[in-house]
Structures are given as C-alpha cells and as structure tokens.
Amino acid sequence: MRTVIKNARLLDSEADYGLNDLYLKDGLIEGYNLGGEVTEGDDAAGKTVTPAFIDLHTHLREPGQEVKEDLCSGLSAAAAGGFGTVISMANTNPTVDEPGLVADLIAKAKAVGQARLKPAAALSHGLKGELLTDFAALKTAGAVMITDDGIPVADSHLMRRACEYAAPLGLIIQTHSEEPSLRQNGVMNEGMVSQRLGLPGNPSSAEAIMIYRDCELALMTGARVHIAHISSRRGMQVVEWFKEQGAPVTAEVTPQHLTLTDEALAGFDPIFKVAPPLRTQEDVDYLRDALKRGVVDNIGTDHAPHTQAEKEQDLVAAPFGIANIELAFALLYTELVKTGELSLVDLLKLLQSGPARIMNWPTPKLKPGQVADLVVLELEQSYPVEAANFKSKAKFSPWDGQKLTGWPVATFIGGKQVFQRDS
Amino acid sequence: MMSTVAATETTLTKKRHLLDLQDWSAEEILALFDTSDVMAQVMQRTIKKVPALQGFTVGTLFFENSTRTRLSFERAARAQSADVISFAAGGSSMSKGESLKDTLKTIDAMQSDLYVVRHAVAGVPYQLAKWTDAIIVNAGDGRRAHPTQALLDAYTFSREFNGFDGFKGKKLAIIGDVLHSRVARSNMTLWSKLGAEVSLCGPSTVLPKELEFAGVAISDNIFEAVEGAHAVMTLRLQKERMQAGLLPSIAEYQTRYQLSEAVMRLAHPEALIMHPGPINRDVEIAGVLADSERSVIEKQVANGVPVRMAVLYTLLVGKK
C-alpha cells in the first residue's frame, strides 16, 4: 500500500520541511515529492503534518472498568486526539500487576488497530504499597513503565527498593507524588478558595514533600524516576533543584494543570475534581514558565474518564479525574501557542521528542524510513469542543462548548489512516 | 388544583434560592427580619397557623441527620399551611447505585415547590439547584454555609440587644472550631455584610488564616477576641477533633478557649451570649454562662421558626 498526503506543511520537533507531498509505503515514511502510482491520496493544503503524539499517562480503564472506558473507546479517543502511542496506567480492576495481564492488553490493543498501546505495570501488587511486582517478568511481557499511579507509594522503603530493583532493568518508575497523610481527604487545593468554599483541602506541600522524597531516592539509587502530573510551583521547584544536581528525574505536567485553577470549583461541579488538584493562578503561571525554560520533559494528558453518574455525586463521593485526550492538543495550542507563550515547535517537543527521550525511544521524525505514525493538524480554524461526539465514553468535559484552535483532522498509524475528523 | 395555581405563581416571580448569604443584599435581609417579626406574632397566637403557603409543597431533603433543623423547617412550613414531604438518607446515594442527580430527579417527580437541603458535603445545594426547577434552601452543607442559622442569630441579636440601633459599630466574637463550622462561615458573611465587625477566635489549627478579610479579624487569643464584643458566640467542640490531631486535649482547650465569666468581663457590659447548639456544657462554654440572663441560646431556637417562616414565605410568595 502506498499513500500520498499532498501539499502539506511538514513539521517535526527538529525541522520545518516546508510544503511537500509526503509518500507513505508499507507502514513507513517513503519520502517527499516522489511521484508515481498511489493506492490512496489526500490533499492536505493548508494543513500541517507532524509525527503523532506520545502520551505517557493515559487511563484506559481496562480490565474491569469498561463502564468508564475500554481499549477500543480509549485508543480511538487517543487517535482522534492525534496520539499515536499511549502508556496505559495500571490502576484497573484487577490491577495490571501480572505478566499475563500485560500480554492480554497488548494483544487486544493490536486487534483494536487504533493508537498503539504500551502498558505500564503496577509497582506493588494490587497497588497496595506492600509487595513489589515481578518487574523483570512484566518487562518481558511488554510493560514499559512501573507505576502505582492513582495511589501514592506511602512506604519510602518500598519505593527505595523499587528504584534499586528497576535501575539495572532499565525500567522507568513513574510516581504519583502526594504525601497521603498530609493530603488526607482533600478534594481540592487547600487555600483561599477551599476555605471560602468550605471544602476539605489538599495542600501543595503534600506534593512538594513527596516529590522531594522521590527525587532523593532517584539520586540515591540511580533509578530513572519520572514525576507525573506536577501541579504546583513548590513541586516544580523541587524537581528543578534536583535536576540541577544531576538527579535522573524527569518532569511531566498536564493540560488541566496548565489551564485551570482552583477557582473552577466555585460552582461545585465535580467535573473539576482531579488528583493532584487544580492549584492557583500563581502555580499555573509557574508551570507555564517552567515549560518555557525547558524544565518540563513532557506533557502527559492524565486522561482519566469516569461515568457521568459518578461525576454527578457530591464532591467527596465523586472520583478524581478529567477526560481530555481528544482535545488536549487543541487546548494546548489555543492556550499556549496562539497566545504567543510557547512556539509550536516547543509544544511538539513536549508531545513527541520529550516523551520519547524519557522512555529511551527513537525521536519521532518525518524522515524516510521512520514509522508512519502521523497526525494532520488544522491550525487555522476554530471549532467548539463537542463532548457529546467524543470517542471516549466520558462524553462530558470542562471545556465543552469552548472554541479551540488546532484540531487534529486525521491520524495515521503505521501508514494507515485510523481517524478522520467529520467536517 | 391549588398546587398548580401556586406553581404558576412561583414561575411568574423571579426564582430565588437561599444557597448562601453572599447573594442577598443587606436591605433584603433586613426586610426578611421585618417579615420574621410578623411571623413571630403568629407564633404567639392561640391558633399558630396562617394560610400563607396553602397549596405549596415543601420537601425536606436531609442527606445528613439533623432533627432540630428539620423540625424547625417543618414547623415553619406547616404553620403557614404548606404541605411537607420528608426525605432522609444517610451516606452516599451511589451506594444504592444512584447518583445524587438520580436521587433528586426521583423526588422531584413528586412535585415540590421548594426543597430544604442538608448535606455533609459543601456545594450539594448548588448542584441540586442546577438540576431542578424548584427553589433550594440550604439547611447546612458541609463546612460551607448554614444561612438560616446565621439569619436567626443576627435576628435574635437585633431584637434582644438592649437599645439595638443597627449592626454598624457592633462586634461579634465567634469562638471555637472555625475551620469545620458552617455556622461560623455564614455568620461571618452575614454580620460583616450588615456592617458589624467580626472577630474569629480559636486554636490556630482550626482557625484558617484565609478567612481574614475586610471586617473580619482572626486571633488565637480569646481575651483579645471578646474585648468590647456585643455578642459572643461559642461553637460546639467535636470530640473527634482531638483524635484527628487538631487539638491536644479537652483540658487544654478549656483552659485557653472556654468562654468563662472572667473572659466575659472584657465584653460589652450588655453583651449577649449565643450558641448554635447543641452545647457541650463546661467545654466550650461555662455552664453558668449558658444559663445566665445574658444567654439567648433558647431564644435562638425559638426564633428559628419565625425566621424560617419568613424565608419560606419570601422565596415562595415574594414581597407583596
């Protein structure tokens, strides 16, 4: 099979190749402006083609929570968001803590044929924070990351041993850094707004303290530690301090922590309840500044779907999480690039070469011979978010109805088009 | 057919909720106090019933148990001839497989004009207001607000303080566990809106510094807080606070924060003593003070009915 994408602006995080006809053959990028017979072709005039994004932080809910999301809906949603590869989190039911479960997920995801799946495996059995899982066997089965994401590892000794054991295996440990005894039952950021609203707060010091511990253990053991979804100025400052000292740590932020504040909770809508919580404008400004200074290694979505009924409970009972993978790029493009805060190339780095470098994967490029995982972006037009049309099962959104610019209009995985936006 | 007529009237008047006191003006609140005077007279009659709300249905939705507040609202509704339906449920509705919205929709199908809502979590009355066409009255949500309690507190003060000439220049001291108190938050909002000065006092672990703003001062020194106060309100101390590591011991609390006769000597000579109830005698307040002539604790309970009558009347029928 041979495909051409005509008249597209070709761009990756390393170079702008200008306007070209891009030829794909047998799942790979064949070359530019080659001419000749093609099986399929599309004109992408006015659009931008770039390597599909990589999300290191996706909740796909399978196995066991298919009422919220499953591999088919979740990986289709990922592709619709322009993501070619996602790492699924292990906090499912049962938790992904056995090699067989990892292998199952990979096999099922292949059959789905949407975005590529690389599963993460649990750090402890049942995410209980007591016994380490079989890291080596999990890796052999295909797990690419070890994490108890969703539940912070409270026991520092267990975290130390996990780091020591993972280091020689070359496995990356991803942490959900919040000190549980300080976080308590907080449902939102602790501060002026939580006190005014009378809701139990979760202070940013709970995040900063745990990030300190996790970075210190990375420095001590030499393990590669990836700090997920950093939400606060204090938390980011700790990571920066450790990076300056050469600790093998990397830093992730999410679209929601870059664009929303705790003021969003003023209407008491649990749709904005997320862990770690939305912080203050000062924190958002600091995270954006950290992006510009290159301190942040990747943007992970932390796409965390739930059912509408679960989110229509009171703020204590409702679960944590925002589903966002389909609009993540448009949101970031609108809020960061269109406003002039970040260049398009810098945003692409955070979604392509950044996550690839963290995982020690090849840098996604638009070079002949590279795997043809591509996204076609419409960077000029604005369209409102239509949550009702999401591929994800969570058909509601904090940004529903909001006009955003920079929507993916087509996604190719291994040279095959898996998503086409309805115009 | 009365209820149909009544419902039409409700939709004709501008729908108004009582979720918190932020969105009520000082004038509206003082007008509500005047209506409360009329309702108080009704409660003095031999036949304590008027037809003002005949044909209206008031639903009490108590997701958190509170016999006193529920009784007070039901008395206020029935004294005006409204019909009352009651719903009480503990815990999360999802434990029965139902979301909060489902629960409301089920009850809403029975056609009430107004719901009185109590819930252990802040914000639930706001959530319900989005999902129903009925009027919502907040009867206490988590730590956030208990507006009718604050209204009856301020009303009681205005009618009981000797030579009352307005809230301006008056000082209210609130002593105790402010962090967990919706009564403190609502009173703070209301009294400062009416022009009074509010002083919040308690151990620093349960006294959020974020609550300090124009008209509201915070202090961990009870003498400082009570000095010159025209009303002193103590809050119930929950025993769980000690287990949660927020306070060292009852004994230490009594020594530093109990409202005693020695402390009251610093207050205005005619200062009133208030408490939202139920009291922990000799813990947050010396028993002799609770029983003293300056205590209006029972008056507060009694005024709960006419003030809530005024709230229901104002919201359902409006100013005539």
Side-chain angles (χ1 to χ4, degrees):
Chain A
M1 182 162 147
R2 193 160 184 261
T3 309
V4 63
I5 306 172
K6 286 189 157 182
N7 302 313
R9 177 191 176 199
L10 304 183
L11 181 72
D12 62 28
S13 55
E14 293 187 342
D16 188 338
Y17 307 90
L19 289 180
N20 290 287
D21 296 343
L22 181 69
Y23 286 80
L24 316 176
K25 194 182 173 192
D26 301 331
L28 304 177
I29 295 172
E30 189 189 7
Y32 302 167
N33 310 320
L34 301 171
E37 287 292 305
V38 292
T39 343
E40 274 172 28
D42 223 341
D43 195 307
K47 303 194 175 71
T48 300
V49 175
T50 190
F53 312 131
I54 299 170
D55 187 13
L56 304 187
H57 201 141
T58 320
H59 294 272
L60 294 178
R61 307 299 188 202
E62 193 168 334
Q65 298 168 327
E66 290 85 354
V67 63
K68 298 174 195 265
E69 195 83 289
D70 58 30
L71 290 180
C72 185
S73 64
L75 293 170
S76 302
F83 289 87
T85 303
V86 302
I87 297 187
S88 58
M89 295 297 109
N91 61 336
T92 47
N93 184 24
T95 52
V96 181
D97 54 8
E98 295 286 345
L101 291 167
V102 174
D104 261 12
L105 285 176
I106 292 171
K108 278 191 187 167
K110 273 214 175 87
V112 167
Q114 289 283 329
R116 298 174 196 272
L117 176 71
K118 306 271 189 191
L123 182 147
S124 69
H125 280 282
L127 307 189
K128 290 200 179 103
E130 290 164 2
L131 298 170
L132 293 182
T133 54
D134 297 352
F135 291 5
L138 289 163
K139 187 187 175 189
T140 306
V144 296
M145 177 187 269
I146 298 293
T147 179
D148 270 1
D149 183 66
I151 300 180
V153 177
D155 186 331
S156 300
H157 180 257
L158 186 81
M159 186 54 107
R160 172 198 171 166
R161 297 306 180 201
C163 289
E164 285 174 338
Y165 196 77
L169 291 169
L171 267 172
I172 187 164
I173 302 236
Q174 186 236 59
T175 70
H176 180 136
S177 301
E178 290 189 283
E179 212 290 299
S181 69
L182 193 53
R183 176 176 75 162
Q184 293 208 315
N185 61 346
V187 304
M188 67 176 294
N189 178 53
E190 181 175 314
M192 194 69 85
V193 182
S194 72
Q195 294 299 358
R196 204 181 72 214
L197 300 182
L199 285 165
N202 168 1
S204 58
S205 51
E207 178 174 79
I209 287 170
M210 206 57 144
I211 291 179
Y212 185 97
R213 183 203 71 176
D214 293 334
C215 290
E216 187 69 35
L217 290 174
L219 200 56
M220 174 192 182
T221 61
R224 276 282 299 107
V225 171
H226 182 53
I227 311 290
H229 49 47
I230 299 164
S231 64
S232 65
R233 176 178 65 89
R234 295 295 299 156
M236 188 58 78
Q237 284 175 335
V238 174
V239 179
E240 283 179 76
W241 189 71
F242 273 95
K243 281 189 157 196
E244 280 164 22
Q245 291 164 75
V249 295
T250 45
E252 174 185 88
V253 295
T254 75
Q256 46 273 21
H257 294 114
L258 287 167
T259 57
L260 298 172
T261 68
D262 55 358
E263 290 283 353
L265 271 304
F268 297 101
D269 190 340
I271 203 169
F272 296 102
K273 183 181 172 186
V274 62
L278 302 174
R279 305 285 184 186
T280 66
Q281 190 60 48
E282 188 199 355
D283 294 289
V284 170
D285 293 344
Y286 195 87
L287 295 182
R288 288 182 173 208
D289 192 55
L291 281 187
K292 287 177 228 164
R293 288 184 289 117
V295 179
V296 176
D297 296 273
N298 78 307
I299 293 176
T301 66
D302 196 6
H303 173 75
H306 293 288
T307 68
Q308 182 125 26
E310 288 171 313
K311 284 290 197 181
E312 285 172 348
Q313 298 182 87
D314 66 70
L315 269 157
V316 169
F320 294 97
I322 292 175
N324 63 3
I325 201 161
E326 282 163 84
L327 57 77
F329 181 81
L331 178 68
L332 295 165
Y333 186 80
T334 306
E335 291 259 352
L336 299 173
V337 180
K338 278 208 72 176
T339 55
E341 281 194 68
L342 204 66
S343 70
L344 173 59
V345 167
D346 283 340
L347 177 58
L348 292 180
K349 280 181 183 162
L350 291 159
L351 294 163
Q352 297 170 348
S353 53
R357 197 177 312 114
I358 293 167
M359 297 309 296
N360 215 6
W361 294 340
T363 303
K365 289 180 209 165
L366 290 184
K367 287 270 169 70
Q370 292 258 337
V371 172
D373 288 3
L374 308 169
V375 55
V376 182
L377 299 168
E378 165 67 89
L379 297 177
E380 306 299 327
Q381 303 291 323
S382 307
Y383 305 103
V385 175
E386 289 175 7
N389 295 330
F390 278 173
K391 312 272 182 202
S392 168
K393 290 188 183 179
K395 298 190 192 302
F396 50 93
S397 166
W399 299 277
D400 199 14
Q402 200 171 310
K403 262 196 159 184
L404 299 178
T405 312
W407 290 95
V409 291
T411 305
F412 293 81
I413 305 292
K416 190 178 155 226
Q417 185 169 358
V418 297
F419 166 70
Q420 169 83 53
R421 186 186 162 92
D422 307 323
S423 46
Chain B
M1 285 298 102
M2 279 298 283
S3 64
T4 322
V5 175
T8 313
E9 278 175 11
T10 315
T11 48
L12 287 176
T13 56
K14 194 173 151 232
K15 193 177 72 171
R16 195 70 202 280
H17 304 289
L18 178 58
L19 301 173
D20 199 353
L21 294 160
Q22 264 95 356
D23 19 287
W24 283 59
S25 71
E27 293 68 39
E28 287 175 303
I29 289 159
L30 295 175
L32 195 87
F33 288 175
D34 292 339
T35 311
S36 303
D37 285 337
V38 178
M39 299 304 181
Q41 284 163 21
V42 172
M43 297 312 286
Q44 299 299 322
R45 297 181 194 161
T46 321
I47 307 295
K48 299 176 176 56
K49 194 158 190 162
V50 288
L53 299 184
Q54 196 163 38
F56 287 101
T57 301
V58 171
T60 57
L61 308 184
F62 277 58
F63 297 93
E64 179 188 67
N65 191 29
S66 166
T67 313
R68 293 157 181 254
T69 305
R70 189 170 52 81
L71 281 177
S72 182
F73 269 108
E74 290 182 1
R75 182 84 181 98
R78 292 200 172 102
Q80 296 176 89
S81 306
D83 290 321
V84 175
I85 59 169
S86 298
F87 172 84
S92 156
S93 46
M94 273 306 267
S95 57
K96 302 189 296 272
E98 220 179 30
S99 73
L100 189 60
K101 189 179 180 182
D102 292 331
T103 308
L104 177 72
K105 287 284 172 198
T106 305
I107 297 158
D108 220 17
M110 299 172 209
Q111 306 291 341
S112 292
D113 302 290
L114 179 149
Y115 294 109
V116 176
V117 180
R118 162 70 65 99
H119 200 289
V121 179
V124 167
Y126 287 76
Q127 291 176 276
L128 299 188
K130 282 188 287 187
W131 298 326
T132 175
D133 291 331
I135 294 163
I136 301 286
V137 173
N138 185 355
D141 63 327
R143 307 171 181 177
R144 179 179 167 83
H146 194 354
T148 58
Q149 177 71 44
L151 287 170
L152 72 90
D153 290 341
Y155 174 74
T156 302
F157 176 77
S158 69
R159 299 312 188 246
E160 297 297 323
F161 186 80
N162 197 14
F164 177 78
D165 57 355
F167 285 87
K168 218 171 169 89
K170 299 297 187 299
K171 177 179 173 182
L172 165 71
I174 303 178
I175 319 291
D177 176 2
V178 173
L179 174 66
H180 296 93
S181 178
R182 51 187 167 223
V183 174
R185 278 186 182 73
S186 278
N187 268 298
M188 178 185 98
T189 306
L190 175 58
W191 292 61
S192 56
K193 177 172 287 217
L194 295 174
E197 187 189 320
V198 179
S199 180
L200 303 174
C201 175
S204 49
T205 47
V206 289
L207 187 66
K209 55 185 181 306
E210 290 87 352
L211 292 182
E212 188 163 26
F213 63 89
V216 180
I218 68 168
S219 165
D220 73 341
N221 181 321
I222 190 170
F223 293 100
E224 200 177 281
V226 169
E227 192 173 10
H230 302 82
V232 182
M233 183 181 295
T234 57
L235 304 171
R236 178 175 170 80
L237 183 72
Q238 306 279 356
K239 303 254 163 56
E240 308 93 84
R241 307 301 174 222
M242 262 60 76
Q243 272 118 42
L246 285 164
L247 299 168
S249 70
I250 295 260
E252 176 130 330
Y253 186 86
Q254 287 167 318
T255 312
R256 298 190 66 206
Y257 299 102
Q258 186 187 83
L259 187 66
S260 63
E261 288 176 291
V263 173
M264 274 308 285
R265 265 182 228 119
L266 289 171
H268 184 277
E270 306 223 47
L272 301 181
I273 292 169
M274 312 182 94
H275 194 298
I279 71 167
N280 278 318
R281 200 167 271 274
D282 295 317
V283 178
E284 67 264 4
I285 181 169
V288 284
L289 285 181
D291 302 331
S292 73
E293 280 189 359
R294 301 164 79 173
S295 161
V296 290
I297 298 173
E298 280 172 35
K299 252 301 184 249
Q300 288 172 271
V301 180
N303 283 339
V305 176
V307 168
R308 289 180 173 119
M309 286 171 78
V311 166
L312 297 178
Y313 181 82
T314 303
L315 289 173
L316 284 168
V317 184
K319 289 165 229 143
K320 285 270 163 86

